[in-house]
Amino acid sequence: MSEQSDMAKVEELAGKVIGDVAGALSLYMAYLGDQTGVFEALDEMGRVSVAELAEHTGMNEKYLHQWLGSVSAAGYVNFHREDETFSISPEQALIFSREGQPACMQGFIQAVVSQYESHEKAVKTFKSGKGRPWSDQSECCFCGTDRFFRPGYAANLTSEWIPALDGVEEKLKAGAKIADIGCGHGSSAILMAQAYPKSTVHGYDFHEPSIEEAKRKAKAAGVDNVQFEVASAQDYPGEDYDFACIFDALHDMGDPVGASRHIRETLKDDGTFMLVEPMAGDSMAENMHPLGQIFYAFSTTVCTPASLAQDVGLGLGAQAGQQRLTEVLEEAGFQKVRRASETPTNMVLEVTG
Ligand SMILES: C[S@@+](CC[C@H](N)C(=O)[O-])C[C@H]1O[C@@H](n2cnc3c(N)ncnc32)[C@H](O)[C@@H]1O
């Protein structure tokens, strides 16, 4: 080291890293609480002592004592120092224990934990520069991805995003043929099938275990106007679709131009392609905030390796931005790209022509 270090700056950065370490471990503790049902027990029980919580859950009191110390210090649970009891507020419950609520963040947390779980593979991939297929991620990653995205789709897809597209909602209500490409566990396809019973939704994904899970979910939901099939985005079957959509998956594909071209070829002339992608600015400089920090991280260990593992291997990355996505869509032959809607985490592009 040739330069003199500014110790004040070192201390400042060290303080920030300690905060990050605390955060990383708090997510891990939140994951333990989620998987073992402790947050739910706290939500049910109201204010409790460790012994009462241990009795109710049948779990080891010593472990619960340590866990409660960590999550209380994190502010995820309230600690009442006067009688050493614990409680969870309605707001904390929404974040940590109310599955399916838009505010629930356990899916997000599970997706983070899944990346630590396969850290050795991530190091190998990062160093080698080779691709790593989506199928090589862990079960925890597939479930976490679905859990993370589903509440946002439930809150926005049929109430905001589809109504924001030109003339699409009327077609879907009247009965249309829909393709959901890269559908994963099928949450978006099932939501559309439920909202538009006269339409038929075809969910495609090249990852067989995800398609099996999507079929199970459709059966459990009792919807029969949705079908799932293993197929790649570049050559899924069928034609004359009225509406095609991709949810948070185009940038994971090796050949997003080929996939978009196939969508254009299999859409009716007046059909619409709705592309949902992570929110991002058009340059890295615009993404220097916590959301950019998060998306670039997932992109380093999941999205970009998944793309590089496929033919073409374009590796768009999860922060491609509307301008770059528009180039891809225009290269595929589409003529019009419009930002129809957005949330803090997603942009919704209407693609036609
Ligand atoms: C981040 S997940 C999103 C899944 C789902 N759309 C959602 O929003 O929950 C990306 C999905 O794209 C799928 N995928 C990636 N490349 C694909 C390709 N070339 N053809 C079909 N599916 C692909 C993966 O299998 C995975 O299920």
Side-chain angles (χ1 to χ4, degrees), residues 134 153 182-184 205-207 232-234 247-249 252-253 310:
W134 173 258
Y153 301 160
C183 65
D205 199 293
F206 73 171
H207 183 234
S232 93
Q234 302 85 265
F247 297 87
D248 288 297
D252 296 293
M253 294 176 185
Q310 299 180 36

Side-chain angles (χ1 to χ4, degrees), residues 190 193-194 197 214-226 228:
I190 293 169
Q194 286 169 326
K215 286 181 181 169
R216 265 193 298 277
K217 279 183 193 267
K219 201 168 173 202
V223 276
D224 55 13
N225 57 331
V226 60
F228 292 103

Side-chain angles (χ1 to χ4, degrees), residues 197-214:
K198 290 187 186 158
S199 288
T200 305
V201 188
H202 301 264
Y204 300 113
D205 199 293
F206 73 171
H207 183 234
E208 194 170 349
S210 289
I211 287 295
E212 289 310 312
E213 182 60 22

Side-chain angles (χ1 to χ4, degrees), residues 55-308:
E55 199 188 336
H56 181 87
T57 57
M59 289 169 65
N60 184 316
E61 188 174 332
K62 284 194 188 299
Y63 287 158
L64 284 174
H65 182 85
Q66 305 304 315
W67 182 83
L68 283 162
S70 180
V71 291
S72 298
Y76 293 2
V77 164
N78 297 315
F79 172 53
H80 307 280
R81 56 187 72 223
E82 59 281 14
D83 58 357
E84 301 219 336
T85 56
F86 302 87
S87 67
I88 189 167
S89 69
E91 297 77 21
Q92 289 163 331
L94 275 177
I95 301 281
F96 296 112
S97 77
R98 305 269 172 87
E99 185 70 23
Q101 293 286 326
C104 183
M105 296 185 86
Q106 289 291 3
F108 211 169
I109 294 169
Q110 188 170 354
V112 174
V113 172
S114 79
Q115 292 313 295
Y116 281 73
E117 188 188 6
S118 55
H119 59 93
E120 283 173 7
K121 287 180 177 177
V123 171
K124 217 169 133 192
T125 306
F126 189 53
K127 190 156 183 233
S128 73
K130 294 193 176 129
R132 180 177 167 208
W134 173 258
S135 56
D136 192 49
Q137 295 289 336
S138 67
E139 190 51 40
C140 183
C141 176
F142 307 136
C143 291
T145 302
D146 180 59
R147 265 181 104 185
F148 167 48
F149 286 130
R150 193 188 331 131
Y153 301 160
N156 298 296
L157 173 54
T158 60
S159 60
E160 303 286 337
W161 297 347
I162 288 173
L165 304 172
D166 192 15
V168 172
E169 190 182 36
E170 299 80 66
K171 283 189 197 171
L172 303 196
K173 280 185 176 162
K177 188 172 168 187
I178 305 172
D180 181 349
I181 303 124
C183 65
H185 282 193
S187 291
S188 48
I190 293 169
L191 282 167
M192 289 188 283
Q194 286 169 326
Y196 311 110
K198 290 187 186 158
S199 288
T200 305
V201 188
H202 301 264
Y204 300 113
D205 199 293
F206 73 171
H207 183 234
E208 194 170 349
S210 289
I211 287 295
E212 289 310 312
E213 182 60 22
K215 286 181 181 169
R216 265 193 298 277
K217 279 183 193 267
K219 201 168 173 202
V223 276
D224 55 13
N225 57 331
V226 60
Q227 293 160 14
F228 292 103
E229 201 175 319
V230 177
S232 93
Q234 302 85 265
D235 59 11
Y236 61 84
E239 53 191 16
D240 288 338
Y241 290 96
D242 299 286
F243 183 49
C245 33
I246 297 188
F247 297 87
D248 288 297
L250 186 79
H251 64 271
D252 296 293
M253 294 176 185
D255 184 7
V257 175
S260 303
R261 192 175 293 125
H262 186 64
I263 288 175
R264 187 166 179 272
E265 284 164 2
T266 53
L267 267 178
K268 282 185 183 160
D269 288 346
D270 64 347
T272 302
F273 170 26
M274 179 175 76
L275 177 61
V276 179
E277 274 287 297
M279 180 56 87
D282 288 324
S283 67
M284 189 177 266
E286 292 169 70
N287 302 328
M288 292 293 109
H289 45 63
L291 206 59
Q293 186 181 347
I294 293 164
F295 277 130
Y296 280 124
F298 280 124
S299 196
T300 306
T301 60
V302 186
C303 316
T304 305
S307 174
L308 296 191

